[in-house]
């Protein structure tokens, strides 16, 4: 992200999108544009424009008579997103295996090995979440196909809250699979790469209902991810990845 002036249309969009990706806007909530504009300290017009843009990206539901409503958080939707992610990421690794240079993969491996497996605090878990997203985006970039990178970025945003809940629920049992994936890519072992990527993604699928339950509890009882995003909302960097 690039820095944007506070109050600019880009900044308003980023703040509203951060509220949507972290479920600060609660599931099923009808968005009051006037109240949201007051909360952000801006006029209603750029808020409506930002809401339309965020809705087009799949985070809100727009209806002609009801305006904008926050998307649901349910196990079936998460299943659909994870199935789509598996398809996209398997396509990514096939292209990376064929196209990425040894030097680029060595650099990715060095970054992947820096990730810590067992975050002890929420701040460390959030940092691990940002690094996990960064890994998948860097991997997609090595596919040398901008459409895959665009899809991975969108999936990172739409699954952000669920992956955050998963990290918190399994804090003492997390495992960094990324180095193994990169080593298999460096060996050009596509069969092993695909198996590792499927395993990396599919471990979430066994407990989607539990993640949904935990997610609702978090949204209505605290929502540390949303708190962190708001506290770190420097202009143009609402999720403060730079410090992660």
């Amino acid at each position: 992200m690039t820095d944007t002036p506070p109050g600019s249309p880009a900044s308003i969009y980023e703040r509203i999108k951060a509220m949507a990706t972290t479920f600060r806007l609660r599931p099923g909530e009808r968005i009051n544009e006037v109240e949201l504009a007051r909360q952000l300290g801006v006029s209603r017009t750029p808020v409506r424009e930002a809401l339309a843009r965020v809705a087009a990206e799949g985070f809100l539901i727009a209806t002609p008579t009801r305006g904008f409503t926050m998307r649901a958080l349910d196990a079936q939707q998460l299943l659909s997103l994870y199935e789509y992610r598996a398809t996209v990421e398997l396509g990514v690794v096939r292209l990376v295996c064929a196209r990425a240079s040894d030097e680029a993969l060595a650099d990715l491996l060095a970054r992947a090995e820096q990730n810590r497996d067992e975050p002890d605090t929420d701040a460390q878990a959030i940092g691990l979440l940002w690094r996990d997203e960064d890994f998948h985006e860097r991997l997609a970039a090595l596919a040398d196909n901008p459409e895959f990178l665009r899809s991975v970025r969108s999936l990172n945003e739409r699954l952000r809250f669920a992956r955050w809940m998963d990290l918190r629920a399994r804090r003492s049992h997390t495992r960094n699979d990324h180095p193994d994936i990169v080593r298999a890519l460096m060996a050009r072992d596509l069969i092993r790469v695909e198996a590792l990527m499927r395993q990396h993604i599919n471990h979430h699928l066994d407990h989607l209902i539990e993640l949904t339950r935990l997610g609702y509890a978090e949204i209505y009882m605290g929502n540390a991810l949303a708190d962190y995003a708001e506290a770190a909302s420097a202009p143009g960097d609402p999720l403060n990845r730079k410090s992660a």
Side-chain angles (χ1 to χ4, degrees):
M1 296 181 183
T2 57
D3 287 344
T4 54
S8 68
S11 176
I12 295 166
Y13 158 75
E14 288 168 354
R15 292 175 68 184
I16 291 175
K17 187 170 183 177
M19 295 171 75
T21 58
T22 62
F23 280 96
R24 176 61 78 201
L25 301 173
R26 293 175 172 176
E29 176 184 353
R30 185 176 178 183
I31 309 303
N32 185 323
E33 296 177 21
V34 175
E35 174 59 26
L36 184 57
R38 185 200 64 77
Q39 181 181 341
L40 298 177
V42 298
S43 66
R44 186 177 177 181
T45 298
V47 167
R48 184 184 298 114
E49 292 172 350
L51 287 169
R53 185 176 171 187
V54 174
E57 295 174 350
F59 296 100
L60 301 173
I61 300 169
T63 55
T65 58
R66 290 181 55 83
F68 298 96
T69 304
M70 183 59 186
R71 64 183 171 136
L73 174 64
D74 62 72
Q76 184 57 51
Q77 184 188 55
L78 291 178
L79 175 61
S80 296
L81 287 170
Y82 274 112
E83 286 180 343
Y84 175 51
R85 182 184 173 206
T87 300
V88 170
E89 299 258 21
L90 288 172
V92 165
V93 295
R94 291 185 190 111
L95 290 180
V96 172
C97 197
R99 296 176 177 176
S101 68
D102 291 341
E103 293 77 13
L105 290 171
D107 179 68
L108 185 62
L109 178 61
R111 291 177 179 275
E113 288 179 331
Q114 293 174 2
N115 287 2
R116 184 177 179 183
D117 285 340
E118 296 184 9
D120 298 319
T121 66
D122 280 351
Q124 289 173 344
I126 289 169
L128 183 59
L129 175 63
W130 299 159
R131 291 192 295 275
D132 181 77
E133 291 187 3
D134 180 72
F135 171 83
H136 286 276
E137 290 178 15
R138 288 179 182 276
L139 182 63
L142 294 182
D144 196 25
N145 183 320
E147 296 304 323
F148 275 107
L149 180 56
R150 186 177 294 112
S151 292
V152 168
R153 284 175 173 163
S154 174
L155 283 162
N156 275 346
E157 292 169 341
R158 297 181 70 184
L159 285 168
R160 180 170 291 148
F161 188 79
R163 291 166 79 181
W164 158 243
M165 292 311 304
D166 188 50
L167 272 173
R168 294 189 78 193
R170 301 183 307 108
R171 176 169 290 160
S172 61
H173 303 288
T174 57
R175 182 180 184 279
N176 184 7
D177 297 324
H178 297 163
D180 289 341
I181 292 171
V182 181
R183 290 189 189 98
L185 284 166
M186 295 177 75
R188 312 294 168 173
D189 186 346
L190 183 56
I191 293 176
R192 176 162 172 75
V193 171
E194 290 179 339
L196 288 169
M197 184 60 79
R198 286 193 188 94
Q199 176 182 313
H200 181 64
I201 295 171
N202 289 346
H203 79 270
H204 301 277
L205 300 181
D206 293 335
H207 52 286
L208 288 181
I209 293 175
E210 177 67 6
L211 284 182
T212 303
R213 185 189 68 78
L214 292 172
Y216 272 96
E218 176 71 5
I219 288 166
Y220 288 95
M221 299 298 291
N223 204 340
L225 183 62
D227 289 343
Y228 187 88
E230 291 174 5
S233 58
D237 192 18
L239 295 176
N240 200 26
R241 295 180 191 234
K242 295 173 185 175
S243 65

